[in-house]
Amino acid sequence: MSWDYIVIGAGSAGCVLANRLSADPSIKVLLLEAGGSDKRLNIWMPALAFKAMADRRTNWKFMSEPDPTRNNRQDMVPRGKGLGGSSSINAMFYVRGNRGDYDHWAQLGNRGWSYDEILPYFKKVEGNRDGVTDIYGKSGVVVVSQVRKPPKLAYVYLEAMKELGYPINPAYNAEPTDGAAIIHVTQHNGLRYSAARGYLDPIKGRPNLKIVTHATVRHLVFDGRRVSGVEFEVGGRVQIETCEGEVLLSASAINSPKLLMLSGIGPQEQLRRHGIEVLHHSPGVGRNLQEHASTQVKAYVNIKTANQEFNLLGKLKYGLQFLFDRSGYATYTYTGVGLVRTQPHLEYPDIQYHFGAFSANYTDEGIEMQKEAAINLQPNVNNSRSRGFMELRSSDPKDDPRIQLNLLSDPYDVQTLMAGGRIARAALNTRAFAPYVTGECKPGKDVQTDDEWIAYMRENASGSYHPCGTCKMGIDPDAVVSPDLKVIGIEGLRVIDSSIIPQVPSCNLNAISMAIGEKGADLVLNERKQVRAA
């Protein structure tokens, strides 16, 4: 059987594509996913997101190379593996970003990607039902809501930010985005609402859609310079499926460029080094890797925090609360968000805060809860300027690629993150937190000067699990895809996921990844109509 479209990857964007393209019963769609089912307790119960990230069945658990900008430390780079992709293992934050993010994309030559042009696609994703704000779409397929019954310290955080002059802004996903709020999440009645739940579950029975799980794509198949199919392995057998229309690559900012390079599309020197025949020299494949640099500012408190409840008694108590009214610690991780300008003259916020009424440490295996009662106010650089890259380790599809983050390689990121850290420290020392905070945990009283802050960050800063940009959209020589998401120099192939992002926006990436999927589906279907009408 030959398909009209083959979608590689059932993540935040791939689920959208499978849904929208197969809505036409005359279009035959094959969806290939390397992972398995998303019907797991550690996926649908929000507080178990850290467990899902620690599980190789649901997370690729890539490892970065030693980072020379951070004392050669290595990080786990999570990417979701299974239906829903990273939307099945993330912290569920729903953050759109601001007008400046997407207008900048358009200014770089990406026509059709300005804020006003991408906003309808966000609303197409959104199904807001709790009335916390009227800015969201109401009829979208992914439920967006405020976390249910957040802990008391989340409201203390809001008062602390207000004390510093930052407004409380429950409509932070519209203009202006500035301020602090209880976080909005992709949840419904306390359960995770992933892209798979919203886009795939209702349509799995469509006869023109086939979903194949545990299918690891090895490389693309070509007829000349046109993609004609996909070679993949499933159940120990290698097979090929052919495609009459287009192959749509939605395999993440790590696996999408990896598959391009395995298929002969990428920097020619690197491909030849691994014995891969060069089909198209595209120097930007794997470059432009971006992340939101973050660091931890933590304080000890005199009341129990969630990290201390990860024991048998706590699981029983909050499990019962979850069963009773689908709220409480079982339904969230971080509960506060903040978007602030570290300097008053800035046009848009340059820092995003995540507030958690718990304390955990980032390790090379992921997130690990600490024993002491503490809270965390984590600054993240919104529009980071540092650039890393990813490369093939070998020509073997089963080998993980080399990921070099270079997270603090640009002085702007260092200075911005330091300013964000100082504001976080000030927030934890406000009158609002005074009844609860007993002392600073990190960075500690010995960190005061610029040099001390920078040394602390090089030893403690990490990414925010938001890698993107490795198949950059644009019109410059390093662009991998054009603004219609077609791979430059190749026919019948598009990349539609977070890897196309030219500049990381001021947001967690799940929302924009689904919006990219919605816009990408429109681009594909509109071109199909034009071809048929011609």
Side-chain angles (χ1 to χ4, degrees):
M1 179 177 182
S2 186
W3 303 91
D4 293 300
Y5 299 100
I6 298 176
V7 181
I8 302 173
S12 297
C15 289
V16 181
L17 293 169
N19 180 301
R20 299 307 187 194
L21 298 179
S22 66
D24 182 341
S26 70
I27 296 176
K28 301 185 295 294
V29 179
L30 174 63
L31 176 62
L32 299 174
E33 168 54 45
S37 170
D38 59 325
K39 302 302 183 279
R40 295 176 178 273
L41 178 65
N42 64 3
I43 287 177
W44 60 261
M45 183 176 283
L48 297 181
F50 299 147
K51 297 286 187 183
M53 282 194 184
D55 190 339
R56 288 194 178 275
R57 293 172 298 178
T58 51
N59 181 6
W60 285 92
K61 294 189 75 171
F62 296 113
M63 285 299 300
S64 70
E65 299 296 301
D67 187 342
T69 74
R70 292 178 298 133
N71 300 344
N72 287 320
R73 289 188 293 119
Q74 294 179 271
D75 304 88
M76 191 262 283
V77 182
R79 289 295 84 196
K81 187 177 185 181
L83 298 179
S86 293
S87 77
S88 288
I89 67 170
N90 66 359
M92 294 151 288
F93 287 8
Y94 191 83
V95 189
R96 289 177 181 168
N98 62 50
R99 174 177 291 278
D101 294 326
Y102 304 110
D103 285 352
H104 178 57
W105 289 12
Q107 290 160 8
L108 293 173
N110 296 295
R111 293 180 61 186
W113 291 89
S114 69
Y115 179 79
D116 288 331
E117 290 166 307
I118 197 68
L119 183 59
Y121 292 107
F122 282 116
K123 292 190 173 184
K124 198 172 180 181
V125 171
E126 300 158 357
N128 178 246
R129 303 176 190 175
D130 65 9
V132 67
T133 172
D134 62 0
I135 66 168
Y136 293 127
K138 306 299 181 187
S139 57
V141 300
V142 172
V143 177
V144 179
S145 61
Q146 183 175 282
V147 293
R148 296 160 66 87
K149 296 185 180 179
K152 177 172 64 174
L153 288 173
Y155 293 102
V156 176
Y157 155 71
L158 298 185
E159 291 304 313
M161 296 300 282
K162 187 176 178 182
E163 196 175 316
L164 294 181
Y166 303 108
I168 298 173
N169 180 14
Y172 67 87
N173 270 322
E175 297 296 314
T177 60
D178 304 58
I182 301 299
I183 190 69
H184 301 172
V185 289
T186 50
Q187 288 182 18
H188 183 49
N189 289 334
L191 294 176
R192 179 188 293 275
Y193 218 95
S194 68
R197 186 176 174 190
Y199 284 96
L200 286 188
D201 284 358
I203 58 118
K204 284 182 177 178
R206 287 178 179 170
N208 59 322
L209 171 66
K210 183 177 181 180
I211 302 171
V212 182
T213 56
H214 302 291
T216 303
V217 177
R218 295 168 55 85
H219 58 78
L220 306 173
V221 177
F222 293 88
D223 181 3
R225 298 183 71 83
R226 181 176 184 82
V227 177
S228 60
V230 174
E231 180 182 292
F232 60 98
E233 183 176 338
V234 59
R237 293 176 54 248
V238 175
Q239 60 188 84
I240 293 176
E241 292 283 352
T242 60
C243 180
E244 294 178 358
E246 292 179 294
V247 169
L248 309 175
L249 189 48
S250 301
S252 83
I254 307 300
N255 279 325
S256 287
K258 176 186 173 183
L259 283 170
L260 288 181
M261 289 188 278
L262 287 172
S263 304
I265 304 165
Q268 59 186 9
E269 300 85 359
Q270 184 187 157
L271 302 185
R272 286 170 179 156
R273 187 164 65 245
H274 294 298
I276 299 171
E277 183 179 351
V278 179
L279 178 68
H280 177 66
H281 172 54
S282 182
V285 175
R287 317 312 286 186
N288 194 49
L289 174 59
Q290 299 166 62
E291 247 282 24
H292 288 129
S294 69
T295 197
Q296 292 192 321
V297 179
K298 302 196 288 190
Y300 296 114
V301 293
N302 55 17
I303 59 177
K304 272 191 174 183
T305 51
N307 50 291
Q308 296 185 299
E309 305 279 12
F310 271 64
N311 53 40
L312 185 59
L313 182 61
K315 290 176 182 177
L316 178 62
K317 180 170 69 170
Y318 294 109
L320 289 173
Q321 182 179 355
F322 175 78
L323 291 174
F324 177 69
D325 66 358
R326 298 288 176 84
S327 71
Y329 280 145
T331 64
Y332 46 69
T333 55
Y334 292 93
T335 49
V337 66
L339 292 156
V340 309
R341 310 176 201 211
T342 61
Q343 301 178 64
H345 69 271
L346 296 175
E347 189 173 3
Y348 295 101
D350 56 339
I351 284 285
Q352 179 186 149
Y353 287 104
H354 298 162
F355 173 77
F358 66 90
S359 182
N361 298 312
Y362 285 80
T363 74
D364 57 9
E365 285 296 313
I367 297 174
E368 176 184 80
M369 293 294 172
Q370 72 177 61
K371 295 178 181 179
E372 300 86 356
I375 55 178
N376 179 25
L377 184 53
Q378 175 178 293
N380 306 263
V381 179
N382 276 344
N383 300 124
S384 50
R385 298 179 185 176
S386 297
R387 295 292 183 268
F389 59 87
M390 57 136 311
E391 297 179 338
L392 293 179
R393 195 172 299 276
S394 76
S395 59
D396 186 343
K398 294 181 180 179
D399 277 353
D400 287 350
R402 294 181 62 246
I403 301 169
Q404 183 59 260
L405 292 176
N406 292 335
L407 197 66
L408 295 179
S409 56
D410 193 292
Y412 168 85
D413 296 342
V414 175
Q415 294 298 317
T416 303
L417 188 57
M418 180 166 56
R422 285 183 161 134
I423 292 171
R425 170 183 274 171
L428 296 178
N429 280 283
T430 55
R431 292 188 303 275
F433 271 118
Y436 309 99
V437 169
T438 60
E440 186 168 297
C441 173
K442 282 188 174 183
K445 63 182 180 180
D446 292 337
V447 175
Q448 299 294 335
T449 68
D450 284 6
D451 286 345
E452 289 165 349
W453 269 100
I454 291 170
Y456 169 76
M457 293 188 300
R458 295 206 188 281
E459 187 58 36
N460 291 274
S462 66
S464 302
Y465 297 162
H466 301 155
C468 64
T470 47
C471 298
K472 184 179 74 168
M473 169 178 66
I475 57 174
D476 60 285
D478 289 326
V480 177
V481 301
S482 54
D484 58 5
L485 306 185
K486 293 182 178 180
V487 174
I488 296 167
I490 299 294
E491 296 179 21
L493 179 63
R494 300 191 205 222
V495 179
I496 306 178
D497 62 18
S498 62
S499 68
I500 64 99
I501 290 174
Q503 167 63 54
V504 64
S506 310
C507 59
N508 310 69
L509 295 187
N510 186 38
I512 183 56
S513 294
M514 290 187 289
I516 288 169
E518 288 281 11
K519 183 171 177 63
D522 263 10
L523 290 169
V524 170
L525 290 172
N526 288 339
E527 181 167 308
R528 181 183 175 89
K529 289 177 185 177
Q530 292 170 7
V531 169
R532 292 200 158 192

